[in-house]
Amino acid sequence: MASLTSLNETGKVVLMLPKRRKNMKKLIEKIVTNSGKPHMVGDGFRVFNYIPGAGIPQERISPFLLLDFNPEYDFGPSNHLRGVGVHPHKGFETVTIAYKGSVAHHDSTGSHGIINSGDVQWMTAGDGILHKEYHEEAFSKKGGPFEMVQLWVNLPKKHKSVTPHYQELTAAGMGKIELADGAGEVNVIAGTFNGTAGPAETYSPVNLIDLKLNEGAEINTSISAGHNTALLVVNGSVEVNGEIATEHNFVLFANEGEEINIKANQKSVVLLLSGEPLNEPIVSYGPFVMNTEEEIHQAITDFNMGKFGVLED
Ligand code: MN
């Protein structure tokens, strides 16, 4: 590596500043085109796992720990409420994005919510929580298209023991940008997109952006090279910085360059996510994500002692 200072011909010390590559196109590290087989989470979520399952380690995509995608699927009408019964979480946040269908949530803090198309549940498990998540009753009875993403966002070490809480983010409350000429809309869930902020409160810098693009729409944005950045093509087909990403593809950007250009080759829905890496050890055991083995043992003990509260099935 070259020294940052050197003597020029007149003997003066010259400071050699590293070249700042600004406004450079963000490089693409890989495009995941095959995310394997779906698996069931409980009996209500038929998901493909992209993080970490598609070869994207949690450390590489920090602060995101998990991304499960339930592409559109009709479970059919049911009197039984499909979903996942009471289970714990600790040390991170679960974020459920509803594209189609309705999901209900209950947790041991007494929070309860129902999300429909365009809404988001942002649950901070923090110090430990019990919750259950399942198809909302009227939706279950009727059946119909169901399409969801669940994302796990890690908490920085200093916030892992925050009091558990729940943010219900409605479609109407998202940061909104209408694209010119009816080309589509941008819903900012968390962080900012081209200056528009979203409603979610986060514990580290995170951008979570829902892009609804009509055929021919084009958007440009800039995200710091230091952020781990990716996007999921929920529907449709797009060109991302010159490369084609088709339906259900997952694009992982390199940590080089800032500028992102997305063109919709057809009507498309894209989830764009980025976050500042936490650079802290990740030790996980099922629904507990801490920094050390010892903290995991403590989490299991606390859970077994009933410290996560009470929630009926
Ligand atoms: Mn859960």
Side-chain angles (χ1 to χ4, degrees):
M1 179 154 177
S3 162
L4 288 179
T5 56
S6 68
L7 293 174
N8 72 4
E9 283 163 19
T10 62
K12 277 187 180 164
V13 175
V14 178
L15 184 63
M16 316 271 284
L17 290 173
K19 263 190 208 155
R20 173 147 166 70
R21 296 198 287 179
K22 208 177 172 355
N23 299 327
M24 187 191 140
K25 197 160 86 171
K26 200 178 271 299
L27 301 182
I28 290 174
E29 184 167 313
K30 69 171 168 179
I31 300 180
V32 176
T33 56
N34 177 2
S35 56
K37 289 193 163 79
H39 69 272
M40 293 300 296
V41 178
D43 64 357
F45 303 89
R46 181 182 172 273
V47 304
F48 292 84
N49 178 258
Y50 288 76
I51 302 171
I56 303 171
Q58 291 175 321
E59 287 79 6
R60 168 64 188 83
I61 193 78
S62 169
F64 306 107
L65 294 164
L66 173 143
L67 191 152
D68 273 348
F69 174 39
N70 183 142
E72 183 174 325
Y73 187 80
D74 191 338
F75 290 88
S78 168
N79 285 324
H80 154 75
L81 302 181
R82 294 174 175 277
V84 197
V86 176
H87 60 280
H89 290 287
K90 182 180 168 80
F92 63 100
E93 303 181 284
T94 66
V95 178
T96 308
I97 303 165
Y99 288 100
K100 290 173 186 158
S102 303
V103 175
H105 159 97
H106 284 267
D107 68 47
S108 51
T109 70
S111 289
H112 166 56
I114 291 167
I115 56 164
N116 301 300
S117 180
D119 301 336
V120 172
Q121 291 174 339
W122 198 294
M123 189 190 77
T124 305
D127 204 25
I129 197 169
L130 305 177
H131 81 156
K132 53 184 176 177
E133 29 198 343
Y134 53 88
H135 295 201
E136 182 273 333
E137 193 172 355
F139 173 75
S140 273
K141 287 189 168 144
K142 200 171 53 177
F146 186 82
E147 188 177 55
M148 301 274 156
V149 163
Q150 188 166 89
L151 194 61
W152 290 8
V153 183
N154 206 357
L155 285 168
K157 186 178 175 58
K158 65 178 174 185
H159 295 303
K160 279 197 182 286
S161 296
V162 74
T163 304
H165 59 279
Y166 174 72
Q167 300 175 68
E168 189 170 293
L169 310 171
T170 63
M174 299 301 172
K176 282 210 189 294
I177 302 169
E178 294 289 339
L179 302 181
D181 306 319
E185 65 172 35
V186 177
N187 290 289
V188 185
I189 301 165
T192 60
F193 183 89
N194 295 354
T196 296
E201 288 174 20
T202 66
Y203 287 87
S204 65
V206 167
N207 296 302
L208 191 57
I209 316 292
D210 165 45
L211 303 166
K212 291 192 162 53
L213 306 172
N214 292 324
E215 185 177 346
E218 179 172 359
I219 59 126
N220 289 290
T221 192
S222 177
I223 296 177
S224 158
H227 271 221
N228 290 329
T229 305
L231 66 79
L232 172 69
V233 183
V234 174
N235 294 124
S237 174
V238 294
E239 200 178 307
V240 185
N241 286 357
E243 296 204 35
I244 302 287
T246 57
E247 192 153 270
H248 305 168
N249 285 183
F250 186 85
V251 177
L252 177 67
F253 292 93
N255 293 92
E256 246 184 289
E258 293 87 23
E259 302 301 319
I260 299 176
N261 170 268
I262 301 173
K263 290 178 194 149
N265 295 325
Q266 61 189 79
K267 192 172 180 184
S268 299
V269 176
V270 172
L271 180 66
L272 175 64
L273 53 144
S274 85
E276 201 175 277
L278 298 180
N279 295 321
E280 292 171 347
I282 300 168
V283 181
S284 63
Y285 178 78
F288 308 136
V289 181
M290 305 301 292
N291 303 110
T292 66
E293 293 279 346
E294 197 180 1
E295 288 166 346
I296 289 293
H297 292 305
Q298 188 62 50
I300 295 167
T301 303
D302 289 350
F303 167 64
N304 287 332
M305 286 175 70
K307 288 190 180 170
F308 289 16
V310 177
L311 181 64
E312 285 185 16
D313 260 318

